[in-house]
Amino acid sequence: MSEDAEKLDRDLQPWRLMLETVRGASHELKKMPNQDYGDFYQPNENSLPIILAISDGHGSAKSFRSDRGSRFAVETAMELLKGLVDQESDRENISAVKDYINDKLPQRIVSTWKKKVDEDLKNQDFTSEELENLEKEEGTRVRQSFENHKEERKYVVYGATLLAVLVTED
């Protein structure tokens, strides 16, 4: 082992991941589900590579399926980032990977997430209970506007933020 490799080996600390989400007090009071979701991937305990993805559902009355949206966001990020990990690692390809991550990955995450939302809606359209709750929380005009523009607003219903991290030795 080279001197540089030995130094790097000494400097590396084990990576340990933990993850938990907790339903907030306001969600408990309103009997809303936990709208956060997270997952991680670490094929070899305490070592690299690792992938961590967390998502926070918007949690508003207009985003009444953001618990599903956050799960879809994390699942999408995990799938796409695992694809990068599964590819042969090649130091000469680092710039190509960086370009993909900066230029194409965000669009792929969004388009794949939207496909998951569309599939979910095919399996279960918005329920009368969901729409009644929207009306109760936001008013009749918001519900009517939503129903009249459902196709344009469907993604808001699943709205969530996403943070994903991929750490490799390279």
Side-chain angles (χ1 to χ4, degrees):
M1 190 182 293
S2 75
E3 188 176 317
D4 288 340
E6 285 179 26
K7 181 180 180 331
L8 181 63
D9 193 44
R10 282 192 311 270
D11 292 342
L12 287 178
Q13 296 296 313
W15 289 81
R16 293 182 183 95
L17 298 174
M18 295 184 294
L19 177 69
E20 182 177 6
T21 65
V22 178
R23 185 168 71 154
S26 66
H27 284 64
E28 284 187 32
L29 286 173
K30 293 181 178 182
K31 296 184 173 45
M32 294 172 66
N34 182 355
Q35 295 174 334
D36 303 334
Y37 194 81
D39 196 6
F40 65 87
Y41 172 74
Q42 187 176 29
N44 301 306
E45 188 175 346
N46 294 334
S47 65
L48 300 176
I50 60 170
I51 300 170
L52 173 66
I54 55 174
S55 181
D56 182 13
H58 290 337
S60 70
K62 293 177 185 176
S63 296
F64 51 84
R65 286 192 179 174
S66 64
D67 59 322
R68 296 181 199 187
S70 65
R71 180 170 45 90
F72 298 155
V74 167
E75 290 171 354
T76 298
M78 297 298 290
E79 290 165 12
L80 294 174
L81 291 174
K82 279 181 185 177
L84 285 175
V85 169
D86 292 342
Q87 291 177 1
E88 286 267 337
S89 178
D90 182 3
R91 287 189 182 268
E92 294 172 22
N93 238 357
I94 294 296
S95 63
V97 171
K98 183 180 176 191
D99 289 343
Y100 170 79
I101 289 171
N102 289 333
D103 299 336
K104 294 184 178 116
L105 185 61
Q107 291 85 1
R108 290 214 43 215
I109 288 172
V110 171
S111 65
T112 304
W113 177 82
K114 284 182 173 182
K115 287 177 187 173
K116 289 178 185 277
V117 167
D118 291 340
E119 187 64 32
D120 191 62
L121 279 170
K122 280 183 197 173
N123 293 328
Q124 183 184 7
D125 200 1
F126 300 123
T127 66
S128 58
E129 182 181 337
E130 288 171 325
L131 297 175
E132 287 166 10
N133 191 54
L134 175 63
E135 183 174 352
K136 180 178 133 194
E137 294 289 324
E138 296 290 326
T140 304
R141 291 171 84 182
V142 170
R143 178 181 175 165
Q144 288 172 343
S145 177
F146 173 79
E147 290 178 324
N148 292 335
H149 303 282
K150 181 176 147 183
E151 191 60 31
E152 300 95 50
R153 300 198 178 146
K154 65 184 175 184
Y155 299 118
V156 172
V157 172
Y158 289 80
T161 60
L162 173 67
L163 175 64
V165 178
L166 166 61
V167 181
T168 69
E169 290 180 23
D170 294 331

